[in-house]
Amino acid sequence: MGERVAEGNFSIPMSEHKAAWDQYVTQERARVMPLLTKRGITLDQHQPNLIGERYLMQAISTTSGKKITLFGTLKDGTRVVIKATSDELGASEIEEERVARRTLDSLLFAAERFFTPREVYYCKSRGLTVSIQEYIEQTSPFIERPLVEQCTLAL
């Protein structure tokens, strides 16, 4: 028997979670693509946030709702992160992230502002919430940075 995930009072085979996730991704991509095309955004071939453990996480924790996260490029070559959802809880999470970025951007700490990605586009239309920000390349993961640098970034 295949692996199962407990959900409520019954178990659902992992293959069903994977199939449901794949269907959700296909539907959300189809809904967001006309908007991205209209704005001149091309998607990367490889979309790491749509594969792997994503459907597993959705199967065991749906408190934050569902959304897809895509990587793409604007006409001018700027790399972007695109989050899109038609799920009510996913839309709430995207909105909370937006409010948090705006709040961090408005706070002054010492002589500098918090470093947050620039919002390129945001909309809520016909049941779809879309948020696009500039992609910020990390030179190294936070935890691998020297402790002094971690503290500086955290503060």
Side-chain angles (χ1 to χ4, degrees):
M1 183 187 253
E3 288 187 48
R4 299 174 85 77
V5 171
E7 186 173 286
N9 293 327
F10 57 94
S11 294
I12 298 174
M14 289 307 297
S15 60
E16 289 182 29
H17 284 290
K18 172 85 168 97
W21 174 249
D22 289 345
Q23 181 180 10
Y24 175 76
V25 167
T26 299
Q27 290 171 344
E28 293 299 84
R29 281 185 76 154
R31 291 191 71 193
V32 77
M33 280 311 297
L35 184 141
L36 300 178
T37 301
K38 183 178 178 180
R39 300 195 63 77
I41 298 170
T42 56
L43 292 180
D44 293 0
Q45 290 251 186
H46 180 62
Q47 295 293 337
N49 290 308
L50 300 182
I51 59 175
E53 79 285 352
R54 296 296 170 192
Y55 79 94
L56 294 173
M57 294 307 296
Q58 201 62 55
I60 61 173
S61 172
T62 57
T63 57
S64 63
K66 296 186 288 188
K67 67 179 178 293
I68 60 172
T69 302
L70 305 166
F71 293 100
T73 306
L74 301 177
K75 288 179 191 176
D76 68 2
T78 302
R79 302 260 306 125
V80 292
V81 176
I82 304 138
K83 294 183 180 182
T85 189
S86 57
D87 179 75
E88 189 176 318
L89 289 173
S92 293
E93 182 182 351
I94 288 173
E95 180 63 29
E96 288 171 10
E97 290 173 0
R98 184 176 196 227
V99 169
R101 279 192 307 277
R102 286 182 166 189
T103 300
L104 287 173
D105 195 41
S106 70
L107 297 175
L108 282 175
F109 182 80
E112 298 182 28
R113 291 195 183 279
F114 285 97
F115 189 55
T116 59
R118 180 180 66 89
E119 182 175 271
V120 174
Y121 181 77
Y122 179 86
C123 80
K124 288 184 99 158
S125 176
R126 298 180 184 155
L128 183 67
T129 301
V130 179
S131 177
I132 304 173
Q133 297 87 40
E134 278 187 6
Y135 175 76
I136 299 174
E137 186 73 42
Q138 276 190 288
T139 54
S140 65
F142 181 79
I143 198 74
E144 290 180 10
R145 296 173 186 254
L147 188 56
V148 171
E149 187 178 352
Q150 288 181 32
C151 291
T152 300
L153 288 171
L155 294 175

